[in-house]
Amino acid sequence: MKKMNLWMLTAILTCGLGMTLTSCSDSDDKNGGKEAVNPATDEDGYTIEVEAGLTLPENEFKTKVPAATNFDQNIVNALKAIDKVTDVKPFVMVHSYDLQTEKFVNTTAYFFNYKQDIDHNDPSKGWFKQQCVLTVAGKDRPTVLLTEGYALGSAQNYKNRLDSIFEPTLVDVLNANCLQVEHRYFGWSLPEGFTNKWNYLTAKQNSADLHTIVTAIKQSGIVGQGKWLATGVSKPGMTASYYAYEYPGEMDAYVPFCAPFMLKQDEPGSYNHIQTVEALGSRYEKVKAAFRAYCGNQTLQLETVKLYKKEFLENNSLDNDAVRMTLLTTLFDSHWKRMSYVHYSLWEPLVPKEGDGADKFLTFILANDRTRYAGDTDIDYQRRQDYVDDLEPETTIFDNTTRGLTRASGVEKARLDPFQAHTCIELGSAAVTLGWVDDLLTDKEKSHLTSSSTPASLGFNYDNGSYIRKVLDGIKQSSCNMMFVYGMQDPWTGNRIPDDKLGKNCQILYIENGRHNDAIDTWNASERNQLFQWLQNLGFEL
């Protein structure tokens, strides 16, 4: 999923810190009542609820992002006229990507909050502010709905750098308007405040959020005369699929990119996929051999540990075996990240072979999606950084201790990562599989590499895949126009929608060298034409 990585799937790096806002939430908490304080209310009567022991960070969008000076006052007025819309602010979005010029350009965008029901089944429980961003190409142009699965601006960016969010590439392809809606419980769009309460974190509730906002925007006349298309990459692609299931026909088309569907908490498909010829092609034997050369040679591993400690760690007293185990984890994690975001051609020269020294193996182990590779273009490198989780370590693999915190840790309180919470409620989760090297590892190493938190350990009752099965069965019966797009290099293609769950108007497009993104400009001509022809057949003008 967008910005997910294997740090989230291992015991040492399970959760993240976060923040939320709320207004008038009820006091029910199925995860245990927590004392809360309410330090402030705004002009709308919106109360910031902060759980005792947690610290609300600064919202940098409010304090550091200047309002745009070149904007359409008519759009501002029309947004302000919508019932439940508040806090309208034009701003400059600096990471809008122009496919024609292959450059990032500045775009005037319109931020607003929507007073959303905390519980769509019971509006009396109150409302919260849900963040949205709109860009306008023209009333008669199509509108692309980004069904975000995370916070606007970043998966875990609680500072909300809304000045640097980016739009789906289909916006540029279609010269379209774009409406982006932050997923409930992420960023600053949270029904129950900066707490560890998750009573209304469901795909059904979030789909209802999208429905109410889309309905309001369509009725406003700002945009909506043209056709509508919902899209997103990874978890946002999943969100588009759930939205299609819950509100079939509300969009003219749905294009989920890289959307996985998991029916349990330890789905092996994603990691299994990146250990196959299907994903790696001619590089398969070379990469497999590198893994086996490292995992089967503890002398080489200890040499790599010594080199790592010398080059990256000030504290050389760290236990060698602890560092060795962490480097093993990083070997698997980096492979996931490279397969997700970095084209083969960039990282293949770094793949070591049996007999190479510790320096070459260490370089390979540490090369991930943050790495600037020799063949990187500025655009490709920047694009990757836009998908990187802000909480990933930037320099060493030992500097992000907060990622290991849970509510039961007994240390300084932390807010559970809402992504992790949602996987525990109904989305399921991927599992690390050892495949290539299972026969070379000790039981201790296997346990270290594959262990992860369970819903029960974090206070959740998982639905055992019930909701996802309903979605898949619903899509099969639906007449919605859906094109699922998967990249063959992408790990999540291992959990793609099954062929027997495609509805009569659904199809899958596989991208030969595709990664975990919607970078249509990197596809070959045949792949682009298949998507474009499908859109044209549905009445979209390119």
Side-chain angles (χ1 to χ4, degrees), residues 202-249:
T202 66
K204 187 177 184 68
Q205 291 278 2
N206 192 73
S207 295
D209 294 343
L210 294 170
H211 168 69
T212 59
I213 292 171
V214 166
T215 300
I217 292 296
K218 284 182 176 180
Q219 293 175 348
S220 73
I222 303 171
V223 298
Q225 283 73 16
K227 289 185 173 291
W228 281 72
L229 179 149
T231 191
V233 177
S234 195
K235 189 171 185 289
M238 297 163 67
T239 308
S241 303
Y242 310 148
Y243 178 48
Y245 163 67
E246 296 288 353
Y247 295 92

Side-chain angles (χ1 to χ4, degrees), residues 18-19 55-59 158-159 188 194:
M19 57 69 52
T55 302
L56 188 72
E58 177 186 18
N59 184 340
Y158 299 99
K159 296 179 180 180
W188 294 77
F194 187 22

Side-chain angles (χ1 to χ4, degrees), residues 3-133:
K3 304 183 186 173
M4 182 190 173
N5 54 69
L6 293 182
W7 292 106
M8 294 181 180
L9 306 177
T10 61
I12 60 172
L13 295 169
T14 303
C15 307
L17 296 172
M19 57 69 52
T20 68
L21 289 176
T22 188
S23 77
C24 316
S25 67
D26 62 11
S27 60
D28 294 337
D29 180 13
K30 66 186 178 186
N31 298 309
K34 304 290 184 180
E35 179 185 357
V37 296
N38 300 295
T41 57
D42 68 11
E43 64 276 11
D44 296 306
Y46 188 60
T47 303
I48 302 173
E49 181 184 357
V50 183
E51 186 174 305
L54 301 180
T55 302
L56 188 72
E58 177 186 18
N59 184 340
E60 293 190 359
F61 176 69
K62 287 187 175 181
T63 59
K64 295 185 178 180
V65 177
T69 57
N70 182 21
F71 62 90
D72 189 332
Q73 186 64 47
N74 291 327
I75 295 174
V76 172
N77 294 341
L79 285 170
K80 289 182 176 180
I82 299 173
D83 184 36
K84 296 188 178 182
V85 165
T86 186
D87 306 317
V88 179
K89 177 182 177 180
F91 70 100
V92 177
M93 186 170 64
V94 299
H95 277 188
S96 179
Y97 182 60
D98 188 319
L99 290 174
Q100 302 302 317
T101 62
E102 296 187 345
K103 294 180 180 179
F104 287 97
V105 296
N106 293 345
T107 300
T108 298
Y110 300 86
F111 169 87
F112 63 94
N113 276 312
Y114 189 87
K115 293 181 180 179
Q116 192 66 263
D117 287 341
I118 290 172
D119 182 359
H120 289 282
N121 297 317
D122 185 0
S124 69
K125 291 184 178 178
W127 51 269
F128 68 101
K129 287 187 176 183
Q130 189 163 26
Q131 293 195 137
C132 305
V133 169

Side-chain angles (χ1 to χ4, degrees), residues 2 8 76 86-87 125 180 186 202 263 277 298 303 317 319 323 332 369 468 491 493 499 529 539:
K2 177 183 172 186
M8 294 181 180
V76 172
T86 186
D87 306 317
K125 291 184 178 178
Q180 304 192 36
F186 289 82
T202 66
L263 298 172
V277 174
Q298 287 209 6
E303 290 174 354
S317 65
D319 179 74
V323 177
F332 282 81
D369 49 355
I468 301 303
T493 298
D499 289 341
N529 288 339

Side-chain angles (χ1 to χ4, degrees), residues 281-455:
S282 62
R283 303 155 185 85
Y284 173 79
E285 293 295 345
K286 184 177 182 180
V287 178
K288 177 183 176 181
F291 268 71
R292 291 189 63 81
Y294 186 78
C295 292
N297 188 336
Q298 287 209 6
T299 299
L300 173 62
Q301 292 176 37
L302 289 174
E303 290 174 354
T304 308
V305 166
K306 292 177 183 177
L307 181 60
Y308 181 82
K309 291 174 72 172
K310 178 181 178 181
E311 293 193 7
F312 294 101
L313 294 183
E314 294 181 4
N315 180 9
N316 278 303
S317 65
L318 282 174
D319 179 74
N320 280 348
D321 195 59
V323 177
R324 183 181 72 83
M325 297 290 272
T326 304
L327 286 174
L328 275 174
T329 301
T330 307
L331 172 67
F332 282 81
D333 182 55
S334 292
H335 181 56
W336 176 285
K337 293 175 182 176
R338 287 190 300 265
M339 292 293 286
S340 295
Y341 300 114
V342 187
H343 193 270
Y344 302 119
S345 61
L346 296 179
W347 58 263
E348 185 179 12
L350 302 182
V351 180
K353 61 182 182 297
E354 188 171 5
D356 281 343
D359 56 337
K360 291 188 177 180
F361 276 91
L362 183 60
T363 297
F364 179 64
I365 290 169
L366 298 182
N368 58 24
D369 49 355
R370 282 189 180 275
T371 303
R372 183 72 187 246
Y373 294 87
D376 260 328
T377 65
D378 290 342
I379 287 295
D380 284 343
Y381 179 70
Q382 180 59 60
R383 217 183 224 160
R384 279 208 311 278
Q385 305 319 300
D386 287 333
Y387 278 94
V388 171
D389 188 334
D390 286 343
L391 295 179
E392 287 178 12
E394 294 187 11
T395 53
T396 84
I397 55 178
F398 292 93
D399 65 356
N400 61 340
T401 55
T402 58
R403 290 296 294 280
L405 299 179
T406 72
R407 288 174 290 154
S409 65
V411 296
E412 181 67 22
K413 280 190 176 182
R415 181 172 185 270
L416 187 67
D417 175 3
F419 169 82
Q420 184 90 9
H422 206 179
T423 65
C424 290
I425 293 168
E426 62 187 359
L427 299 188
S429 186
V432 180
T433 56
L434 305 176
W436 287 330
V437 297
D438 184 77
D439 60 314
L440 301 175
L441 301 173
T442 65
D443 289 343
K444 177 183 176 182
E445 290 166 344
K446 291 177 184 179
S447 176
H448 177 82
L449 288 167
T450 60
S451 61
S452 62
S453 298
T454 64

